[in-house]
Amino acid sequence: MTKVQLEVRGRVAVVTIDNPPVNALGAAVREGLANAVKAANADAAVAAIVIASAGKAFIAGADISEFGKPPAAPSLPDVLDAIEGSAKPVVAAIQGVGLGGGLEVALACHGRVALPGAKLGLPEIKLGIIPGAGGTQRLPRLIGAAKAFPMMLSGEPVSAGKALEYGLLDEVVSSDVVTAAIRLAEALAAEGRRPVTSAATGELTEADREAFEALAREALKKADGMPNVLALVEAVRASFALSFAEGAAVERKLFLSLVADERSKALRHVFFAEREVAKVPGIGPEVKPREIASAAVIGAGTMGGGIAMCFANAGIPVTLIETAKAALDNGVNRIGAIYDISVSRGSLTPEAKAGRMALIKPAVGLAAAAGADIVVEAAFEEMGVKQQIFGELDKVAKPGAILASNTSYLDVPTIAAATKRPQDVIGMHFFSPANVMKLLEIVRPQGAADDAIATAVALGRKLAKVPVVVGNGFGFVGNRMLERRTRAAERLLIAGALPHEVDAALVGFGFKMGPFAMADLAGNDIGWRSRKARGLKAAVADAICEAGWFGQKTGRGYYIYPQGARAGQRCPEVEALIARISAEQGVTRRSFTQEEILARLLDPMVNEGARILEEGIAARPGDIDIVWINGYNWPAWRGGPMFWADSVGLDLIVKRLEAQAAEIDDKALEPAPLLRRLAAEEKGFASLKG
Ligand code: TC6
């Protein structure tokens, strides 16, 4: 079936794009569109043209999977020039999303009609690029740069109502958008009118230019050197200084160089990985999720409270359970205080806060979990505690309820063994702060029912999380890899680097914080307790805790925080302590370049990621990338650890790991067989897809 159909209704040619699932503008669609407009122009019986679409979307933009491949004619800018240059007026009939190249198609038309649910936007910035088919030139000419620039800078779509107010749409109709578009097209033809956006300059006033320049200054301050933001400013600026054709040429050149940039490749990888992660191997659409109308959360600490907020934010009533009234009151007060911050910032109304608080029902004792469709346990991270809770839950929870543990390390089947319904027991690992962090690791132990997993995935999306299904195994995906980085960071200190140097390497890479600043923020005692429980030692980290330097909360950790300051300062005592430990261990300290530090921190993570893939704990390399981007602030434009490893070259990573393994007594540094194999075959992790 052709992807573009042409049907003449009366004197109007209706061109319908039909390219499921979202009518992306792949080569066949571009060609079909160009041919249809040409044919309609050649047909003497046709007075005007409507561009419409089949399915839910108008057009979701260029076909992102074509980026980076050899270009196929006709290019979108050429097709759009043909549409705008059509001797007969062309009107877009917009339903659903008109994004990126999709909005650019509409902008090249001579009129635009939409349904109220339509959403229009230029989200290219999120893919590390800028609009590349005239968007940066046509949109400012149509609605003014002061409105167009923020749309392109945020990438967020506007509603049909807003678009009408902006003058981006001619009309919003409540139904039958194609008929309304035909009407407008006939009217334009009868009037002999063909309003051409590229020729319009009325909106580009001096006041608009000044307003745009002020916005551009702000954007550049925050851009942190991201080339797409710099390019966007340059392209929009060109719309004031240059003719449409010259401005479009500036835009095209910038667009092509951005598409080729590694950062955009990384963001495109993330786009597809985010969609792939939703597909759980072995669980097809025939597996229906169970209904979740109410929830219970066990433990009203920071984590439990944050999880309860996730439910309330999604409109799901949740019972928050503690063992004693005092702890419960503390937890509820903490939740109220967090909502108050949102109210004071204006991101939540007092009424909305009251509505959410009303959905959280505090209760003492596990019996209160009886009515819940899902119970999430967020109690102490100790197997004995968890088993006792699940044993009791088994007695009170209703049949078919999902029983989930928020454990971050422990063996989920051992927890499930405390119940007589292991098929309903899974892990749901939220990340702190749970009401903010997007990642949700869903742990799928052997024996868990498929519909229990499908329920957790569907629920995760409802809670506005990015759910990633992972296998059961110590630390699952994220924390297992994090542990490798934590060990590497400690080793670097003993070998000669200082905390601020290690942190700087990761911040330079794009993380918001390095491992030591992060540890100081989270509290060094947390890791200390966990090491003690597992009989592990870390000379520097232990010594810091033995000194009582637990981090920001005690005013000092790896750094000093004078008078509650959030940014730490170098601490001579800590640096002396590190030097002493190096000497005790007979290590001659040496200096490390930032590049060496980075490799020592990240290579062991990649190696562990390879093992995680070998063991089937993660289904795909992209799943690991999504975990790190959404749970650990790995910069999205670096694509995640496995994408990064491919860009470095697996051969180099193997060599660097071998060099470390020869120097350091840690078996985990031995390159994983999968990593070795791919490196030997000169392949990357990306080759494992599909
Ligand atoms: C641009 O236009 C530049 C133009 C200049 C040219 C010179 N391409 O998200 P969903 C697939 S840049 C290819 O799950 P939703 C997606 O992979 C582009 N594929 O659905 C998935 O495939 P799967 C600017 C695409 O309903 C399926 O469609 N546009 C594209 O939650 C369903 O996707 C954008 O950045 C695409 N453009 O959300 C818009 N879009 O089933 C990107 C989707 O095989 N897209 N797919 O896994 C979106 O924001 C959302 O997909 C959505 C639909 C809002 C359109």
Side-chain angles (χ1 to χ4, degrees), residues 400-439:
I402 308 274
L403 307 183
S405 173
N406 177 54
T407 180
S408 43
Y409 284 100
L410 299 176
D411 186 59
V412 178
T414 309
I415 299 174
T419 74
K420 289 189 205 68
R421 42 173 125 177
Q423 74 281 359
D424 296 334
V425 180
I426 60 171
M428 279 179 82
H429 180 208
F430 289 77
F431 287 71
S432 189
N435 54 314
V436 177
M437 296 301 285
K438 289 252 168 247
L439 178 63

Short mmCIF file of all heavy atoms in Angstrom, two decimals, residues 400-439:
data_model
loop_
_atom_site.label_atom_id
_atom_site.label_comp_id
_atom_site.label_asym_id
_atom_site.label_seq_id
_atom_site.Cartn_x
_atom_site.Cartn_y
_atom_site.Cartn_z
N GLY A 400 -4.03 -12.19 44.74
CA GLY A 400 -3.75 -11.51 43.48
C GLY A 400 -3.08 -10.16 43.64
O GLY A 400 -2.70 -9.53 42.66
N ALA A 401 -2.90 -9.70 44.88
CA ALA A 401 -2.19 -8.43 45.08
C ALA A 401 -0.72 -8.63 44.73
O ALA A 401 -0.16 -9.70 44.97
CB ALA A 401 -2.32 -7.97 46.54
N ILE A 402 -0.12 -7.59 44.14
CA ILE A 402 1.31 -7.67 43.84
C ILE A 402 2.06 -7.28 45.12
O ILE A 402 1.74 -6.27 45.75
CB ILE A 402 1.70 -6.66 42.74
CG1 ILE A 402 0.81 -6.80 41.51
CG2 ILE A 402 3.18 -6.73 42.42
CD1 ILE A 402 1.20 -7.81 40.51
N LEU A 403 3.03 -8.09 45.49
CA LEU A 403 3.84 -7.77 46.67
C LEU A 403 5.24 -7.43 46.17
O LEU A 403 5.95 -8.29 45.66
CB LEU A 403 3.88 -8.97 47.63
CG LEU A 403 2.52 -9.56 48.04
CD1 LEU A 403 2.70 -10.70 49.04
CD2 LEU A 403 1.61 -8.48 48.64
N ALA A 404 5.59 -6.17 46.30
CA ALA A 404 6.87 -5.72 45.72
C ALA A 404 7.80 -5.24 46.82
O ALA A 404 7.38 -4.57 47.76
CB ALA A 404 6.61 -4.58 44.73
N SER A 405 9.08 -5.58 46.67
CA SER A 405 10.08 -5.05 47.60
C SER A 405 10.87 -3.96 46.90
O SER A 405 11.22 -4.10 45.73
CB SER A 405 11.03 -6.16 48.05
OG SER A 405 12.08 -5.57 48.81
N ASN A 406 11.16 -2.91 47.64
CA ASN A 406 12.00 -1.83 47.09
C ASN A 406 13.48 -2.11 47.39
O ASN A 406 14.29 -1.19 47.37
CB ASN A 406 11.55 -0.50 47.71
CG ASN A 406 12.42 0.65 47.24
OD1 ASN A 406 12.58 0.86 46.03
ND2 ASN A 406 13.01 1.39 48.16
N THR A 407 13.83 -3.34 47.63
CA THR A 407 15.23 -3.63 47.94
C THR A 407 16.15 -3.16 46.83
O THR A 407 15.80 -3.23 45.64
CB THR A 407 15.45 -5.14 48.19
OG1 THR A 407 16.84 -5.32 48.47
CG2 THR A 407 15.07 -5.98 47.00
N SER A 408 17.35 -2.68 47.21
CA SER A 408 18.27 -2.24 46.18
C SER A 408 19.37 -3.27 45.93
O SER A 408 20.16 -3.10 45.01
CB SER A 408 18.86 -0.87 46.54
OG SER A 408 19.21 -0.82 47.88
N TYR A 409 19.48 -4.29 46.77
CA TYR A 409 20.54 -5.29 46.58
C TYR A 409 20.07 -6.73 46.80
O TYR A 409 20.62 -7.66 46.24
CB TYR A 409 21.68 -5.07 47.59
CG TYR A 409 22.58 -3.91 47.27
CD1 TYR A 409 22.42 -2.69 47.92
CD2 TYR A 409 23.59 -4.04 46.33
CE1 TYR A 409 23.25 -1.62 47.64
CE2 TYR A 409 24.43 -2.97 46.03
CZ TYR A 409 24.25 -1.76 46.70
OH TYR A 409 25.08 -0.71 46.40
N LEU A 410 19.07 -6.91 47.67
CA LEU A 410 18.82 -8.25 48.20
C LEU A 410 18.15 -9.20 47.19
O LEU A 410 17.55 -8.75 46.22
CB LEU A 410 17.97 -8.15 49.47
CG LEU A 410 18.62 -7.34 50.61
CD1 LEU A 410 17.66 -7.20 51.78
CD2 LEU A 410 19.91 -8.01 51.08
N ASP A 411 18.27 -10.49 47.51
CA ASP A 411 17.78 -11.54 46.63
C ASP A 411 16.25 -11.64 46.73
O ASP A 411 15.70 -12.01 47.77
CB ASP A 411 18.43 -12.87 47.07
CG ASP A 411 18.09 -14.00 46.13
OD1 ASP A 411 18.41 -13.90 44.94
OD2 ASP A 411 17.49 -15.00 46.59
N VAL A 412 15.57 -11.33 45.64
CA VAL A 412 14.11 -11.27 45.69
C VAL A 412 13.47 -12.66 45.91
O VAL A 412 12.53 -12.77 46.69
CB VAL A 412 13.55 -10.54 44.44
CG1 VAL A 412 12.03 -10.51 44.46
CG2 VAL A 412 14.10 -9.12 44.37
N PRO A 413 13.98 -13.75 45.28
CA PRO A 413 13.38 -15.06 45.56
C PRO A 413 13.46 -15.45 47.04
O PRO A 413 12.55 -16.11 47.55
CB PRO A 413 14.22 -16.02 44.71
CG PRO A 413 14.76 -15.18 43.61
CD PRO A 413 14.99 -13.82 44.20
N THR A 414 14.53 -15.04 47.73
CA THR A 414 14.61 -15.36 49.16
C THR A 414 13.51 -14.61 49.92
O THR A 414 12.91 -15.13 50.86
CB THR A 414 16.00 -14.98 49.72
OG1 THR A 414 16.98 -15.56 48.88
CG2 THR A 414 16.19 -15.48 51.14
N ILE A 415 13.23 -13.39 49.49
CA ILE A 415 12.13 -12.63 50.11
C ILE A 415 10.80 -13.33 49.78
O ILE A 415 9.96 -13.55 50.65
CB ILE A 415 12.10 -11.17 49.59
CG1 ILE A 415 13.41 -10.45 49.94
CG2 ILE A 415 10.89 -10.42 50.15
CD1 ILE A 415 13.54 -9.04 49.36
N ALA A 416 10.67 -13.75 48.51
CA ALA A 416 9.42 -14.38 48.06
C ALA A 416 9.17 -15.69 48.79
O ALA A 416 8.03 -16.08 49.03
CB ALA A 416 9.48 -14.63 46.55
N ALA A 417 10.27 -16.36 49.19
CA ALA A 417 10.14 -17.66 49.84
C ALA A 417 9.44 -17.54 51.20
O ALA A 417 8.97 -18.54 51.75
CB ALA A 417 11.52 -18.30 50.02
N ALA A 418 9.35 -16.32 51.70
CA ALA A 418 8.64 -16.13 52.98
C ALA A 418 7.13 -16.15 52.77
O ALA A 418 6.36 -16.04 53.73
CB ALA A 418 9.07 -14.81 53.61
N THR A 419 6.70 -16.24 51.51
CA THR A 419 5.25 -16.25 51.23
C THR A 419 4.86 -17.57 50.56
O THR A 419 5.73 -18.32 50.12
CB THR A 419 4.85 -15.12 50.24
OG1 THR A 419 5.30 -15.49 48.93
CG2 THR A 419 5.48 -13.79 50.62
N LYS A 420 3.55 -17.78 50.44
CA LYS A 420 3.09 -18.95 49.68
C LYS A 420 2.65 -18.51 48.29
O LYS A 420 1.91 -19.22 47.60
CB LYS A 420 1.92 -19.62 50.42
CG LYS A 420 2.37 -20.31 51.70
CD LYS A 420 1.23 -21.13 52.28
CE LYS A 420 1.37 -21.33 53.77
NZ LYS A 420 1.21 -20.06 54.55
N ARG A 421 3.02 -17.30 47.90
CA ARG A 421 2.60 -16.82 46.58
C ARG A 421 3.76 -16.14 45.85
O ARG A 421 3.69 -14.96 45.49
CB ARG A 421 1.43 -15.85 46.71
CG ARG A 421 1.57 -14.88 47.87
CD ARG A 421 0.48 -13.85 47.84
NE ARG A 421 -0.28 -13.77 49.08
CZ ARG A 421 -1.24 -12.89 49.27
NH1 ARG A 421 -1.56 -12.04 48.33
NH2 ARG A 421 -1.90 -12.86 50.41
N PRO A 422 4.85 -16.91 45.65
CA PRO A 422 6.04 -16.31 45.01
C PRO A 422 5.75 -15.73 43.63
O PRO A 422 6.46 -14.83 43.17
CB PRO A 422 7.03 -17.47 44.93
CG PRO A 422 6.21 -18.72 45.12
CD PRO A 422 5.03 -18.34 45.94
N GLN A 423 4.68 -16.23 42.98
CA GLN A 423 4.35 -15.71 41.64
C GLN A 423 3.97 -14.23 41.68
O GLN A 423 4.06 -13.52 40.68
CB GLN A 423 3.23 -16.55 41.00
CG GLN A 423 1.83 -16.33 41.54
CD GLN A 423 1.56 -17.06 42.87
OE1 GLN A 423 2.42 -17.76 43.42
NE2 GLN A 423 0.36 -16.89 43.40
N ASP A 424 3.57 -13.74 42.86
CA ASP A 424 3.13 -12.34 42.98
C ASP A 424 4.21 -11.44 43.58
O ASP A 424 3.98 -10.25 43.81
CB ASP A 424 1.87 -12.26 43.87
CG ASP A 424 0.69 -12.99 43.24
OD1 ASP A 424 0.67 -13.10 42.00
OD2 ASP A 424 -0.19 -13.45 43.99
N VAL A 425 5.38 -12.02 43.88
CA VAL A 425 6.42 -11.23 44.55
C VAL A 425 7.49 -10.80 43.55
O VAL A 425 8.08 -11.62 42.84
CB VAL A 425 7.07 -12.05 45.70
CG1 VAL A 425 8.15 -11.21 46.39
CG2 VAL A 425 6.00 -12.50 46.70
N ILE A 426 7.71 -9.50 43.49
CA ILE A 426 8.70 -8.94 42.55
C ILE A 426 9.49 -7.83 43.26
O ILE A 426 9.18 -7.48 44.39
CB ILE A 426 8.00 -8.33 41.30
CG1 ILE A 426 7.06 -7.20 41.73
CG2 ILE A 426 7.25 -9.39 40.52
CD1 ILE A 426 6.50 -6.40 40.56
N GLY A 427 10.48 -7.30 42.56
CA GLY A 427 11.18 -6.13 43.09
C GLY A 427 10.71 -4.90 42.35
O GLY A 427 10.45 -4.95 41.14
N MET A 428 10.54 -3.81 43.09
CA MET A 428 10.30 -2.51 42.44
C MET A 428 11.25 -1.54 43.10
O MET A 428 10.99 -1.04 44.19
CB MET A 428 8.84 -2.07 42.61
CG MET A 428 7.91 -2.74 41.61
SD MET A 428 6.19 -2.26 41.80
CE MET A 428 6.14 -0.71 40.94
N HIS A 429 12.38 -1.32 42.42
CA HIS A 429 13.46 -0.55 43.02
C HIS A 429 13.38 0.91 42.56
O HIS A 429 13.71 1.23 41.42
CB HIS A 429 14.81 -1.19 42.64
CG HIS A 429 15.98 -0.48 43.20
ND1 HIS A 429 17.22 -0.49 42.61
CD2 HIS A 429 16.12 0.27 44.32
CE1 HIS A 429 18.05 0.23 43.33
NE2 HIS A 429 17.40 0.70 44.37
N PHE A 430 12.90 1.75 43.45
CA PHE A 430 12.83 3.19 43.18
C PHE A 430 14.17 3.81 43.53
O PHE A 430 14.94 3.26 44.31
CB PHE A 430 11.73 3.84 44.04
CG PHE A 430 10.33 3.47 43.64
CD1 PHE A 430 9.79 2.23 43.97
CD2 PHE A 430 9.52 4.36 42.94
CE1 PHE A 430 8.49 1.89 43.62
CE2 PHE A 430 8.22 4.04 42.58
CZ PHE A 430 7.70 2.80 42.92
N PHE A 431 14.41 4.99 43.00
CA PHE A 431 15.68 5.69 43.26
C PHE A 431 15.41 6.98 44.02
O PHE A 431 14.40 7.63 43.79
CB PHE A 431 16.43 5.93 41.94
CG PHE A 431 16.99 4.64 41.42
CD1 PHE A 431 16.14 3.66 40.91
CD2 PHE A 431 18.33 4.35 41.53
CE1 PHE A 431 16.62 2.43 40.50
CE2 PHE A 431 18.83 3.13 41.11
CZ PHE A 431 17.97 2.17 40.60
N SER A 432 16.32 7.32 44.88
CA SER A 432 16.09 8.44 45.79
C SER A 432 16.46 9.78 45.13
O SER A 432 17.49 9.86 44.46
CB SER A 432 16.97 8.22 47.03
OG SER A 432 16.62 9.15 48.00
N PRO A 433 15.70 10.85 45.30
CA PRO A 433 14.38 10.91 45.92
C PRO A 433 13.31 10.31 44.99
O PRO A 433 13.22 10.67 43.82
CB PRO A 433 14.14 12.41 46.11
CG PRO A 433 15.17 13.13 45.28
CD PRO A 433 16.20 12.16 44.85
N ALA A 434 12.55 9.37 45.57
CA ALA A 434 11.65 8.54 44.76
C ALA A 434 10.59 9.35 44.02
O ALA A 434 10.13 8.94 42.95
CB ALA A 434 10.98 7.49 45.63
N ASN A 435 10.21 10.50 44.57
CA ASN A 435 9.19 11.31 43.88
C ASN A 435 9.78 12.10 42.73
O ASN A 435 9.04 12.71 41.96
CB ASN A 435 8.49 12.24 44.88
CG ASN A 435 9.47 13.10 45.64
OD1 ASN A 435 10.47 12.59 46.13
ND2 ASN A 435 9.21 14.37 45.73
N VAL A 436 11.10 12.09 42.60
CA VAL A 436 11.76 12.88 41.54
C VAL A 436 12.41 11.99 40.49
O VAL A 436 12.21 12.19 39.29
CB VAL A 436 12.85 13.81 42.16
CG1 VAL A 436 13.59 14.57 41.08
CG2 VAL A 436 12.24 14.76 43.19
N MET A 437 13.18 11.00 40.94
CA MET A 437 13.98 10.22 39.99
C MET A 437 13.08 9.37 39.09
O MET A 437 12.12 8.77 39.55
CB MET A 437 14.98 9.31 40.72
CG MET A 437 16.03 10.06 41.51
SD MET A 437 17.03 11.19 40.51
CE MET A 437 18.08 10.03 39.68
N LYS A 438 13.43 9.33 37.82
CA LYS A 438 12.57 8.69 36.82
C LYS A 438 12.71 7.17 36.79
O LYS A 438 11.81 6.46 36.36
CB LYS A 438 12.95 9.21 35.44
CG LYS A 438 12.52 10.65 35.22
CD LYS A 438 11.36 10.66 34.26
CE LYS A 438 10.66 11.96 34.18
NZ LYS A 438 9.32 11.94 34.68
N LEU A 439 13.88 6.67 37.20
CA LEU A 439 14.13 5.24 37.00
C LEU A 439 13.34 4.36 37.97
O LEU A 439 13.21 4.68 39.15
CB LEU A 439 15.63 4.94 37.17
CG LEU A 439 16.02 3.46 37.04
CD1 LEU A 439 15.72 2.94 35.65
CD2 LEU A 439 17.48 3.25 37.37
#
